[in-house]
């Protein structure tokens, strides 16, 4: 039955977050009426390092990320506040990169592990965390995040831009039931 | 590979992903000579500035609020009152950390022979939640309890995170001396 190893690996891949291109999730304050917010502005810039020198203070990465977030919020009728007007919401984000391990399970049909070492690989796990803060109460009312394998993205601006756009739009799609 | 073997592999793989390969292990330590019954009030220490090791949980008010609420609830059930100022007996502190663990169950390290059908290295997220009670007057550790558990699928679900925090805190504080 040659299809069984393929199926087993596919199942393992599907439930292995490290293998997925982008995984998103979010937490929210269930007591808040999100429909009451109409405008946003950027919160104080993130001073934390990303964990990767290639991304720290990288204007290209920052611009792409901020642009993707602004487009995603605009689709949900959230407008950038006027310069002198206090915004309803403040947006804060943090990006980080960590080296992580992944173990691709292989077919163990014969009960042997041919090469244990070859099953472990390391990769650059990227995470974008987005906090939406009620400016008036200064409480985080929503946190979303997107995670994925950035190993090939850190050296390729175009791939990074595409990944950022998809990660942000997938993440902000979780706001849709609220807006 | 037979269908039954495939089913076993699928179930095992799913179970490992859901459980993180590990059940919750809970331990505690009481400092020598400490009698916890003499403490009646507590307050929270300042916010933990240490990174958790997972950006999803760092400075996460939803996680922080859930942990604090669960601990407050368990301590209230033990008639420990939350106070403020210099008069409190204990300062309560917690710290959470997340790291990757590798499970290599079943593999003979010498011959790389797998005695079980589905053994092999498996990387999973493991978390530790640690709760400490410190004497407010002399700053000495009174009691420490911690839980270590697999976190696959937990952090990405707010509901699962909340349920896991509640259970971990309950099981940690259950290890307090019976008369506390």
């Amino acid at each position: 039955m040659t299809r069984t190893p393929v199926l087993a690996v596919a199942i393992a891949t599907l439930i292995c977050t490290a293998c997925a291109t982008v995984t998103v999730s979010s937490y929210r304050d269930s007591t808040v009426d999100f429909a009451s917010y109409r405008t946003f502005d950027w919160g104080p810039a993130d001073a934390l390092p990303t964990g990767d020198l290639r991304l720290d203070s990288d204007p290209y990465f920052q611009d792409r990320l901020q642009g993707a977030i602004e487009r995603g919020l605009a689709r949900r009728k959230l407008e950038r506040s006027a310069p002198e007007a206090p915004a309803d919401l403040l947006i804060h984000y943090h990006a980080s990169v960590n080296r992580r391990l992944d173990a691709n399970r292989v077919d163990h049909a014969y009960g042997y592990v041919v090469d244990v070492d070859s099953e472990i690989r390391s990769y650059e796990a990227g995470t974008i965390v987005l906090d939406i803060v009620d400016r008036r109460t200064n409480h985080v009312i929503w946190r979303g995040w997107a995670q994925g394998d950035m190993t090939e993205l850190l050296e390729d601006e175009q791939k990074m831009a595409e990944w950022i756009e998809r990660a942000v739009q997938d993440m902000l799609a979780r706001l849709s039931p609220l807006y | 590979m037979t269908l039954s073997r495939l089913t076993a592999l699928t179930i095992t793989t799913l179970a490992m992903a859901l459980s993180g390969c590990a059940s919750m292990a809970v331990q505690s330590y009481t400092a020598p000579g400490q009698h916890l019954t003499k403490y009646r009030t507590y307050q929270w220490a300042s916010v933990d500035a240490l990174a958790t090791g997972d950006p999803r949980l760092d400075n996460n008010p939803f996680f922080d609020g859930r942990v604090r609420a669960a601990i407050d609830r368990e301590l209230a059930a033990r008639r420990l009152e939350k106070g403020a100022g210099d008069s409190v007996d204990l300062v309560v502190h917690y710290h959470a950390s997340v790291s990757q663990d590798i499970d290599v169950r079943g593999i003979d390290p010498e011959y790389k022979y797998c005695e079980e059908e589905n053994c092999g290295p498996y990387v999973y997220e493991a978390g530790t939640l640690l709760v400490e009670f410190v004497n407010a007057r002399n700053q000495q550790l009174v009691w420490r309890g911690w839980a270590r558990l697999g976190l696959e699928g937990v952090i990405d679900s707010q509901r699962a995170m909340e349920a896991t925090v509640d259970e971990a805190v309950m099981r940690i504080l259950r290890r307090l001396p019976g008369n506390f």
Side-chain angles (χ1 to χ4, degrees):
Chain A
M1 190 170 181
T2 56
R3 293 170 63 185
T4 51
V6 176
L7 182 56
V9 170
I11 292 168
T13 302
L14 281 170
I15 58 180
C16 173
T17 56
C19 310
T21 306
V22 182
T23 55
V24 297
S25 193
S26 60
Y27 292 172
R28 59 169 290 208
D29 182 344
S30 58
T31 66
V32 167
D33 176 16
F34 283 73
S36 65
Y37 302 107
R38 283 285 162 257
T39 60
F40 74 92
D41 201 356
W42 291 103
D46 185 6
L48 296 172
T50 63
D52 190 295
L53 290 174
R54 290 168 289 186
L55 288 188
D56 284 338
S57 305
D58 177 354
Y60 178 84
F61 180 81
Q62 307 284 342
D63 287 350
R64 289 285 186 180
L65 185 52
Q66 290 197 4
I69 294 169
E70 290 190 358
R71 281 190 295 279
L73 294 178
R75 287 192 193 109
R76 287 160 182 84
K77 312 294 184 193
L78 279 167
E79 297 176 356
R80 183 86 182 265
S81 61
E84 300 302 322
D88 298 331
L89 299 169
L90 294 177
I91 309 299
H92 173 83
Y93 66 83
H94 176 63
S96 66
V97 180
N98 304 100
R99 182 163 287 276
R100 293 175 64 85
L101 298 175
D102 183 24
N104 295 315
R105 293 176 64 79
V106 297
D107 179 20
H108 301 300
Y110 299 102
Y112 287 93
V113 178
V114 178
D115 186 348
V116 174
D117 296 333
S118 69
E119 295 185 35
I120 304 288
R121 74 178 187 104
S122 66
Y123 67 103
E124 302 284 357
T127 304
I128 296 171
V129 174
L130 179 65
D131 282 340
I132 299 181
V133 181
D134 182 315
R135 185 197 55 79
R136 192 176 53 80
T137 63
N138 201 32
H139 284 155
V140 178
I141 60 170
W142 189 87
R143 165 173 286 199
W145 56 85
Q147 294 187 299
D149 184 346
M150 279 191 176
T151 307
E152 295 182 8
L153 310 180
L154 291 165
E155 306 290 345
D156 188 323
E157 285 191 357
Q158 184 57 36
K159 283 186 179 176
M160 177 64 88
E162 292 167 2
W163 188 88
I164 289 171
E165 187 67 26
R166 182 180 165 198
V168 168
Q169 301 320 324
D170 285 0
M171 177 169 48
L172 292 180
R174 296 182 62 86
L175 276 171
S176 291
L178 310 172
Y179 280 102
Chain B
M1 181 181 280
T2 65
L3 186 60
S4 61
R5 283 186 169 187
L6 171 64
T7 304
L9 173 60
T10 305
I11 291 172
T12 304
T13 309
L14 283 169
M16 291 173 86
L18 292 172
S19 69
C21 304
S23 56
M24 192 180 296
V26 183
Q27 279 298 335
S28 62
Y29 165 81
T30 304
Q34 290 289 346
H35 300 285
L36 275 68
T37 50
K38 68 180 181 182
Y39 300 108
R40 301 297 352 139
T41 58
Y42 75 97
Q43 69 178 1
W44 281 100
S46 53
V47 175
D48 186 0
L50 295 173
T52 64
D54 190 309
R56 295 170 295 180
L57 293 185
D58 286 337
N59 303 313
N60 186 324
F62 301 99
F63 174 74
D64 177 69
R66 193 71 181 194
V67 173
R68 288 171 183 265
I71 293 174
D72 281 341
R73 191 168 56 245
E74 293 292 332
L75 294 184
R78 289 167 174 78
R79 303 187 188 287
L80 206 64
E81 295 178 8
K82 188 154 71 169
D86 297 332
S87 61
V88 296
D89 302 324
L90 294 170
V91 174
V92 178
H93 167 262
Y94 86 88
H95 178 63
S97 67
V98 179
S99 60
Q100 284 191 304
D101 272 2
I102 300 176
D103 191 336
V104 288
R105 289 181 300 187
I107 298 177
D108 185 307
E110 184 175 358
Y111 300 106
K112 295 181 178 177
Y113 175 77
C114 180
E115 294 183 353
E116 302 168 13
E117 183 179 353
N118 301 319
C119 68
Y122 186 80
V123 180
Y124 65 100
E125 287 185 317
T128 301
L129 180 64
L130 180 145
V131 181
E132 282 185 341
F133 295 167
V134 173
N135 186 314
R137 290 173 181 78
N138 59 23
Q139 306 304 312
Q140 290 189 340
L141 178 69
V142 173
W143 185 88
R144 164 183 281 188
W146 61 92
R148 185 157 176 81
L149 66 156
L151 289 177
E152 283 305 307
V154 172
I155 299 175
D156 273 339
S157 161
Q158 186 170 6
R159 188 171 295 177
M161 177 277 289
E162 292 172 348
T164 302
V165 164
D166 289 350
E167 183 185 354
V169 167
M170 180 189 70
R171 291 182 59 178
I172 291 169
L173 296 184
R174 193 188 286 167
R175 294 187 62 89
L176 284 164
N179 54 356
F180 188 67

